[in-house]
Every structure is written in C-alpha cells, then in structure tokens.
Amino acid sequence: MSSAEPRFKRILLKLSGEALMGNGSYGIDPETLDRVTQEIKQARDIGTEVCVVVGAGNIFRGLKGAASGIDRATADYMGMLATVMNALALQSALERIGVHTRVQSAIPMASVSEPYIRRRAIRHLEKGRVVIFAAGTGNPFFTTDTAAALRAAEMNCNALLKGTQVDGVYNADPKKDPSAVRYETLTYMDVLRQDLKVMDASAISLSRENNIPIVVFSIHSENALVNVLQGKGTCTIVSGE
C-alpha cells in the first residue's frame, strides 16, 4: 500500500446496511464485515481520522416497515435500533484488528454505547480512535444519509465518503442499463436538479450549506477507500459550483 498523503484529514464514511450483507440477502456477512473494517484500518493508518455512520437496510428499513402497516415513526425507531446492531458489529470487528473504536448512539443505550456528545466524539477522533455514530439522528423521518451529513458537519469533516454498490454516480442504474455513464464530478445543484440518487435531498442540502464534498465510490473494490483518499480511486465527487 502506498504511503501517499491522504487528501482529506478527517472524513465521515457513510456505509449502507446492504454493504455489510455481501452476497447474502439479509444480515451481516462476516467476510464482508472483515474486509470493510480492513479498509477503515488502512485509511486510519495513512493518517486520516475516520468516523462512520452505518445504515440498517440489511436488518430493518423504516420505510419498508411503514409500508407493511407499522406506524411510520415507530418503524423509523426500529430502523435506528437496527443501526446500533450494525455499529456494534463494526466495533467488534475493528477492535479485533487493533483499531480502537467508540460507538456513540443518538438514542441513549448506556449498556452498549456512549451517548452522542459532539465534543467527546471530536476528542476520540483526535486520539486516533474510529467513532461509529449509531441510531441516525435519533429522530424519525430522517434517513441515515441525513445523519451522515449532519455528523460530518458537526465533526468538521473535510469530506463525506459514501461507500456504495457501484463506483460512483451514474445517469442510470449501471446494473440495469449497460450504457449508463458515470460522472467524474457533479455540483450539489446538479444532483438536486436531476434527482440523482446519491443521497436524499436533505443530506445534499446540508452538505452544500457546509461546503462538504461528497465522494461516492464502491466499497466492494479492494483498497477502494485508501485509493480514493490518495486520489487514485474511481469515484464521483459532488461539490460546489
């Protein structure tokens, strides 16, 4: 692995719950979990401070629960609890490879995590720990994408990196349309005007207001995270005009 200086000193990594499923259809795939945590370790080893927001689509998705008849706010809280499960799995896998990690939950759960306290989280990052933010924003009707943009702003992150199933943002779904074209760069307004499925509109607007670039890349490519941090990886960068 190259020792080139990372282009971002502090990042927030947004992981979807699906990113932890591997080839499965539900839950957490141990091999995928171990590979993702190795990516995070590599990023930290080149000098980048890393915090993480993880979704829960691999366990329970609030919107899907609401569609099945569960009250929307209740379904969203259930999804937040599922993100705590993913966060604890990430913490365990990271600490198994020697990476000191803290989980902070927006819904207080003193037995398994710290409460979310901004100044404490920043101090953890300064000490080289990985901080995993669980339970989204702690409020229903907000996605973990919005939570990621919010925490990135609160932590004074230099960039928000979204690890997805594909290597950037396309004008169509590349898994369904082989002629889909990948964008190298986009502006926040491009994403909003074209309704591109990068992150939800609240997350895009929050990133725009705080001038935090969004870097979309494939979390499934080997060394993808560290390559993007060193300016070598394939990705799409969403930033200002």
Side-chain angles (χ1 to χ4, degrees):
M1 184 178 67
S2 169
S3 59
E5 281 291 309
R7 57 171 147 172
F8 304 118
K9 174 62 178 171
R10 178 180 293 169
I11 64 164
L12 187 138
L13 174 63
K14 168 58 170 61
L15 289 174
S16 67
E18 291 89 341
L20 303 179
M21 289 194 309
N23 294 322
S25 58
Y26 180 82
I28 299 169
D29 174 62
E31 288 186 11
T32 302
L33 178 66
D34 288 345
R35 190 182 50 72
V36 169
T37 52
Q38 285 289 347
E39 297 272 331
I40 294 171
K41 182 179 187 298
Q42 288 178 0
R44 197 209 56 170
D45 287 348
I46 64 168
T48 301
E49 296 173 359
V50 182
C51 48
V52 182
V53 166
V54 63
N58 58 323
I59 299 173
F60 186 89
R61 189 181 292 279
L63 280 174
K64 192 171 182 180
S68 69
I70 301 173
D71 172 76
R72 170 63 194 275
T74 300
D76 281 353
Y77 280 120
M78 292 169 68
M80 289 180 228
L81 296 178
T83 70
V84 177
M85 295 170 66
N86 282 337
L88 292 175
L90 272 172
Q91 179 184 42
S92 177
L94 282 165
E95 295 198 331
R96 197 161 57 240
I97 57 175
V99 179
H100 296 297
T101 309
R102 296 291 187 273
V103 172
Q104 290 199 346
S105 173
I107 297 175
M109 264 179 246
S111 296
V112 296
S113 66
E114 296 180 358
Y116 172 65
I117 299 173
R118 176 179 174 270
R119 289 172 66 93
R120 182 183 289 179
I122 289 174
R123 187 69 179 130
H124 287 322
L125 291 172
E126 291 171 346
K127 289 184 174 181
R129 297 167 184 150
V130 171
V131 182
I132 304 170
F133 298 116
T137 65
N139 303 288
F141 305 102
F142 289 92
T143 67
T144 50
D145 279 350
T146 300
L150 176 63
R151 297 290 184 250
E154 290 180 304
M155 294 298 108
N156 303 315
C157 290
N158 306 119
L160 194 171
L161 275 68
K162 183 169 183 181
T164 67
Q165 314 298 314
V166 292
D167 59 355
V169 181
Y170 287 76
N171 63 350
D173 186 342
K175 294 182 178 178
K176 298 177 181 177
D177 183 355
S179 64
V181 177
R182 184 178 62 82
Y183 297 103
E184 288 287 337
T185 60
L186 288 164
T187 68
Y188 303 111
M189 292 308 298
D190 288 337
V191 173
L192 294 172
R193 277 193 295 262
Q194 298 177 47
D195 194 27
L196 297 171
K197 305 303 180 185
V198 179
M199 303 179 98
D200 63 60
S202 297
I204 297 294
S205 297
L206 194 54
S207 299
R208 178 174 176 244
E209 287 167 13
N210 292 281
N211 197 30
I212 300 170
I214 302 168
V215 182
V216 183
F217 70 104
S218 171
I219 194 64
H220 298 298
S221 302
E222 189 174 355
N223 301 325
L225 178 56
V226 75
N227 284 340
V228 166
L229 288 173
Q230 294 177 334
K232 300 179 294 187
T234 302
C235 63
T236 298
I237 299 177
V238 181
S239 59
E241 302 294 338

